């Protein structure tokens, strides 16, 4: 960018896909606003600064702005004429929204902002394990393609079932760490009292039941990618330890004395509003800023319905279903989802396809929507039981329906059924026996 009055110029930003990133916004003399999405921004008269100020009172490397902790830190770089923040000369100080800073004799105003970097959507309908032909998905492909080769932390945001783990895996596969481990941690599935041991590991005898030493997931992810799914469920008391590990690139096992160096690329995901949790004191602000370097939004399926048929065919290819069976299944699913919202997004669509392949009974597919949407089931007539019992009952009903249809489709051939379902043959037999469907198998 150049051609501004009063000698202002800055390095051109690296252009990329549509991508909302935290940015430092500086209001320049004359009212123009410059947005910079860098972690570190240098200001001075030397031509290699991010913001070049050609003024006699400004030193060659006058000051820097760092994005860290809960916001932005302004630091004077031993300039000749000093740096002033809200009329107070400082060596360093945190910048607040609307604060005035003066470098030598040049005044600027600071704001926190969001920078939107743009690039044309990719033409491809697939990137790694990601599939879609809608513009929203092809723009997401462009984001992932740009960010994947870096080690920058990525926060994936979106509704449940939108495919956040698929995006995380694609980021890993397109990175320089692709040949190293990809470790998935579901923070919502690990009990709070076991979370620290799972992440950091423990030494033998460090607590009751610690019969052997055990590596933590941070160690297992060394040189690879660590994916923290549902990071919003991370216990508040554990968050400072996670932040310390990320900032020092080192962990100490529970009961251990040695610091173990770890090097991994961090990708996190959540369906929750982390910024709102920060405001309510439910999530640490400094950890949020550490995770939210590159925020990426995954659109729900209702915003990209043109991807539904492509996704179905993608799932069928992975299941290795015969072409005639697959085409019939696609037609049935497309007819069923017409007019429905697919609240469970891609995950719900995949499960519906599996159900379609498993049973020829169309009424069972329609009942899926009645269960999901509560259609024509008055609340007063439903039997309210504890959550665990209700969930187990639904799982049992689903397994029985699925297995009945699966074996009918495979004409009773256990090996063929196992291949279609993607299950181990012995485990499938175990499921059939559990539901009294094994017969002579």
């Amino acid at each position: 960018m150049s051609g501004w009055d009063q000698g202002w110029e800055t390095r051109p930003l690296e252009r990329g896909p549509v991508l909302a990133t935290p940015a430092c916004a500086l209001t320049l003399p004359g009212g123009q606003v410059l947005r910079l999405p860098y972690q570190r921004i240098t200001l001075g008269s030397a031509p290699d600064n991010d913001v070049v100020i050609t003024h006699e009172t400004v030193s060659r490397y006058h000051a820097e702005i760092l994005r860290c902790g809960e916001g932005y830190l302004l630091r004077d770089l031993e300039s000749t004429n000093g740096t002033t923040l809200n009329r107070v000369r400082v060596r360093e100080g945190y910048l607040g929204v609307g604060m005035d800073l003066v470098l030598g004799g040049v005044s600027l105003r600071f704001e926190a902002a969001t920078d939107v970097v743009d690039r044309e959507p990719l033409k491809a309908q697939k990137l790694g394990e990601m599939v879609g032909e809608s513009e929203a998905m092809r723009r997401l492909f462009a984001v992932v393609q740009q960010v994947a080769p870096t080690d920058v932390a990525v926060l994936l945001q979106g509704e449940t079932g939108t495919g956040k783990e698929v995006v995380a895996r694609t980021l890993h596969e397109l990175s320089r760490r692709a040949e190293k481990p990809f470790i998935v941690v579901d923070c919502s599935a690990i009990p709070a009292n076991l979370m620290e041991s799972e992440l950091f590991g423990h030494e033998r005898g460090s607590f009751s039941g610690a019969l052997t030493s055990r590596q933590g997931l941070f160690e297992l992810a060394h040189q690879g990618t660590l994916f923290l799914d549902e990071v919003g469920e991370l216990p508040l008391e554990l968050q400072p330890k996670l932040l310390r590990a990320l900032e020092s690139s080192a962990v100490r096992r529970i009961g251990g004395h040695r610091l173990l160096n770890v090097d991994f690329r961090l990708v996190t995901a959540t369906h929750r509003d982390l910024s709102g949790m920060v405001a309510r004191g439910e999530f640490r602000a400094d950890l949020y800023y550490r995770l939210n370097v590159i925020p990426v939004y995954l659109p729900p399926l209702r915003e990209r319905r043109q991807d539904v048929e492509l996704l179905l065919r993608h799932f069928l290819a992975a299941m290795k279903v015969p072409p005639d069976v697959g085409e019939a299944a696609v037609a049935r699913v497309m007819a069923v989802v017409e007019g429905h919202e697919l609240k469970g997004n891609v995950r719900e669509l995949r499960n519906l396809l599996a159900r379609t392949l498993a049973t020829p009974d169309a009424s069972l597919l329609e009942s899926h929507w009645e269960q999901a949407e509560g259609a024509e089931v008055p609340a007063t007539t439903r039997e309210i039981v504890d959550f665990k019992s209700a969930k187990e009952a639904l799982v049992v009903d689903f397994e029985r329906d699925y297995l009945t249809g699966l074996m009918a489709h495979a004409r009773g051939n256990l090996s063929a059924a196992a291949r279609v379902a993607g299950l181990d043959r012995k485990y499938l037999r175990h499921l059939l026996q559990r539901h009294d469907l094994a017969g002579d198998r």
Side-chain angles (χ1 to χ4, degrees), residues 288-422:
Y288 170 68
Y289 285 111
R290 180 66 177 77
L291 303 180
N292 194 38
V293 178
I294 299 291
V296 176
Y297 170 72
L298 277 65
L301 200 53
R302 63 179 175 275
E303 293 180 5
R304 53 185 189 96
R305 294 188 70 91
Q306 69 193 86
D307 292 336
V308 169
E309 185 171 347
L310 187 65
L311 282 165
L312 290 172
R313 298 186 185 283
H314 173 69
F315 298 147
L316 286 170
M319 295 175 184
K320 300 180 180 178
V321 176
D324 56 333
V325 175
E327 287 300 319
V330 169
R332 291 179 65 201
V333 174
M334 292 298 292
V336 170
V337 302
E338 183 69 29
H340 291 286
E341 195 174 278
L342 283 167
K343 294 180 180 179
N345 293 300
V346 178
R347 182 181 297 139
E348 182 183 11
L349 182 66
R350 184 179 60 237
N351 292 343
L352 184 60
L353 176 63
R355 192 167 185 157
T356 304
L357 290 167
T359 175
D361 189 349
S363 64
L364 288 176
L365 300 182
E366 290 297 340
S367 71
H368 164 87
W369 300 110
E370 294 179 4
Q371 293 171 17
E373 300 175 1
E376 301 176 4
V377 184
T380 54
T381 65
R382 297 183 196 142
E383 181 183 359
I384 303 300
V385 297
D386 66 276
F387 175 82
K388 183 178 180 180
S389 298
K391 181 179 179 181
E392 287 177 352
L394 285 173
V395 170
V396 168
D397 289 343
F398 166 76
E399 286 184 355
R400 185 181 295 110
D401 291 342
Y402 178 84
L403 294 171
T404 300
L406 175 67
M407 298 311 297
H409 169 72
R411 295 181 174 84
N413 187 307
L414 187 65
S415 297
R419 285 195 297 272
V420 170

Side-chain angles (χ1 to χ4, degrees), residues 117-262:
V117 189
D118 195 12
R119 177 193 274 174
E120 289 297 316
L122 295 188
K123 294 181 180 179
Q125 295 182 350
K126 184 176 181 181
L127 182 70
E129 298 183 22
M130 302 162 59
V131 174
E133 59 183 346
S134 63
E135 181 175 333
M137 283 303 294
R138 290 185 292 113
R139 285 186 179 277
L140 179 59
F141 294 168
V143 171
V144 172
Q145 187 177 70
Q146 182 191 28
V147 172
T150 74
D151 272 344
V152 68
V154 176
L155 174 61
L156 304 175
Q157 302 170 86
E159 298 176 7
T160 298
T162 48
K164 293 186 281 292
E165 184 174 339
V166 171
V167 177
R169 191 176 297 277
T170 302
L171 282 166
H172 173 71
E173 291 175 351
L174 298 180
S175 75
R176 64 182 179 84
R177 302 173 182 267
E179 301 302 319
K180 301 298 182 179
F182 175 73
I183 302 298
V184 179
V185 184
D186 185 349
C187 297
S188 66
I190 303 175
N193 62 328
L194 298 179
M195 181 71 76
E196 184 174 2
S197 174
E198 288 290 321
L199 293 179
F200 293 88
H202 61 256
E203 297 292 354
R204 179 182 178 182
S206 57
F207 55 85
S208 177
L211 303 180
T212 61
S213 296
R214 181 180 177 184
Q215 285 184 299
L217 295 170
F218 286 164
E219 289 181 66
L220 293 176
H222 183 59
Q223 296 186 335
T225 299
L226 179 67
F227 175 47
L228 295 181
D229 197 8
E230 296 302 345
V231 71
E233 310 300 324
L234 197 67
L236 193 59
E237 62 272 15
L238 189 56
Q239 293 177 22
K241 297 180 180 180
L242 172 60
L243 179 64
R244 193 177 307 118
L246 296 176
E247 292 184 339
S248 64
S249 297
V251 297
R252 181 184 285 112
R253 294 179 185 173
I254 297 175
H257 302 289
R258 292 187 303 119
L259 275 176
L260 306 171
N261 293 328
V262 289

Side-chain angles (χ1 to χ4, degrees), residues 1-14:
M1 302 177 186
S2 59
W4 294 341
D5 294 336
Q6 303 181 22
W8 291 86
E9 60 178 301
T10 182
R11 279 198 321 228
L13 299 183
E14 294 181 3

Side-chain angles (χ1 to χ4, degrees), residues 19-97:
L19 179 62
T21 63
C24 168
L26 296 175
T27 302
L28 315 178
Q32 295 168 318
V33 179
L34 175 63
R35 288 179 170 82
L36 295 160
Y38 309 131
Q39 292 286 100
R40 177 176 182 265
I41 301 159
T42 58
L43 307 95
S45 59
D48 56 345
N49 282 287
D50 297 304
V51 179
V52 179
I53 310 171
T54 54
H55 192 278
E56 59 185 8
T57 64
V58 176
S59 299
R60 286 178 55 77
Y61 300 99
H62 195 107
E64 64 180 1
I65 297 174
L66 305 172
R67 192 166 79 85
C68 60
E70 299 185 8
Y72 288 87
L73 180 71
L74 172 68
R75 179 179 293 161
D76 183 80
L77 299 178
E78 299 183 359
S79 63
T80 301
N81 295 307
T83 299
T84 300
L85 184 58
N86 272 10
R87 301 182 181 179
V88 177
R89 184 160 177 166
V90 297
R91 286 190 175 180
E92 64 178 41
Y94 277 98
L95 288 162
V97 175

